Amino acid sequence: MTVSSKLRILLLAGAVGLFGLEASEQLALPGFSGLVSSAEARVGRPLTPVSVAGAARRTVRRCAAGVYC
């Protein structure tokens, strides 16, 4: 297989993939979300940290600064 034939196959596969994504958006069934979900903006401060290590670092830093220790 030559390089040009591999490139043709790759371009054809990419075009078919893009067409499939576009078609899935247009032909979506009601109540069924497609492959690509819609974007949602989140406004405000982030939630509390889930990392225990991050919370511990913050506590040590605040204690060292004399905030609440």
Side-chain angles (χ1 to χ4, degrees):
M1 204 179 252
T2 64
V3 175
S4 63
S5 63
K6 288 181 183 179
L7 183 61
R8 266 191 222 141
I9 292 172
L10 182 66
L11 288 174
L12 179 64
V16 168
L18 286 176
F19 177 75
L21 283 175
E22 285 295 320
S24 71
E25 287 291 319
Q26 299 297 324
L27 302 174
L29 298 172
F32 178 74
S33 62
L35 293 175
V36 181
S37 62
S38 62
E40 297 178 7
R42 309 269 169 122
V43 180
R45 297 183 58 134
L47 296 175
T48 57
V50 243
S51 166
V52 175
R57 275 194 304 270
R58 233 181 342 275
T59 304
V60 167
R61 188 173 58 235
R62 288 176 182 163
C63 283
V67 174
Y68 50 72
C69 284

